[in-house]
Amino acid sequence: MKAFKLENEPKIASGFKTPEGYFDTLSANVLEQMNAKEVKVIPIYQRKNVISMLVAAVLILALMIPIGYNYNKNAKELDEDTLETYLSYQSNLNQYDLMKELDNNDIQKLGKNVALEDETIEDILSSNPNIENLISE
């Protein structure tokens, strides 16, 4: 393999050259160009179409309020039948999982809604052979 020596190879001259004294006057030229450009500022209140923009904004707002109100109202309501169907098809859900999610207010509401007579309780206990499991639960 032939040894490569950087000093012996011909060097390629760069195609870019700066004019003489360019960097001496660069900062002065940049400052002159910045001061020379003035941006024309148009205030928003002097535009001719401000009224049309305001009317469009009010119209959009007036249309969006009822849509947003109905969307939030329908999203929060949950039907009891839908909830019962969902819970019945969840095979990995048991009574202990449900008990964990209930707080004292929910338990009091359940107690008020359930009206069992003594005869109904006796029928359930007499027909079920696992009385001990029901009592322990």
Side-chain angles (χ1 to χ4, degrees), residues 104-122:
N104 291 334
N105 294 335
D106 294 333
I107 294 171
Q108 289 174 359
K109 288 179 185 177
L110 287 173
K112 292 178 183 176
N113 293 339
V114 176
L116 291 176
E117 297 180 4
D118 292 336
E119 295 173 359
T120 310
I121 295 174
E122 288 176 6

Side-chain angles (χ1 to χ4, degrees), residues 5-136:
K5 293 185 181 180
L6 189 60
E7 293 84 25
N8 296 340
E9 296 295 322
K11 296 183 181 178
I12 299 173
S14 174
F16 300 103
K17 294 183 180 179
T18 56
E20 291 184 26
Y22 176 76
F23 291 108
D24 296 337
T25 60
L26 179 65
S27 60
N29 290 339
V30 170
L31 288 176
E32 283 179 18
Q33 289 178 358
M34 287 179 53
N35 292 335
K37 292 183 181 177
E38 288 194 25
V39 179
K40 183 178 178 184
V41 177
I42 301 172
I44 194 165
Y45 59 86
Q46 290 184 354
R47 285 189 160 174
K48 294 179 181 178
N49 58 358
V50 171
I51 295 173
S52 62
M53 287 191 304
L54 290 175
V55 169
V58 169
L59 184 63
I60 290 172
L61 187 63
L63 291 175
M64 291 303 292
I65 288 174
I67 293 170
Y69 177 74
N70 289 334
Y71 177 74
N72 288 337
K73 183 179 177 185
N74 293 338
K76 292 180 182 176
E77 294 178 5
L78 184 62
D79 187 20
E80 289 181 13
D81 295 332
T82 307
L83 181 61
E84 185 177 349
T85 305
Y86 174 76
L87 292 176
S88 67
Y89 285 115
Q90 295 298 319
S91 62
N92 59 353
L93 187 65
N94 58 22
Q95 62 189 4
Y96 299 110
D97 293 334
L98 292 175
M99 288 189 307
K100 287 179 188 175
E101 298 299 324
L102 295 176
D103 60 354
N104 291 334
N105 294 335
D106 294 333
I107 294 171
Q108 289 174 359
K109 288 179 185 177
L110 287 173
K112 292 178 183 176
N113 293 339
V114 176
L116 291 176
E117 297 180 4
D118 292 336
E119 295 173 359
T120 310
I121 295 174
E122 288 176 6
D123 290 338
I124 291 172
L125 291 175
S126 65
S127 65
N128 194 345
N130 294 329
I131 295 174
E132 296 168 354
N133 289 342
L134 291 175
I135 292 172
S136 66

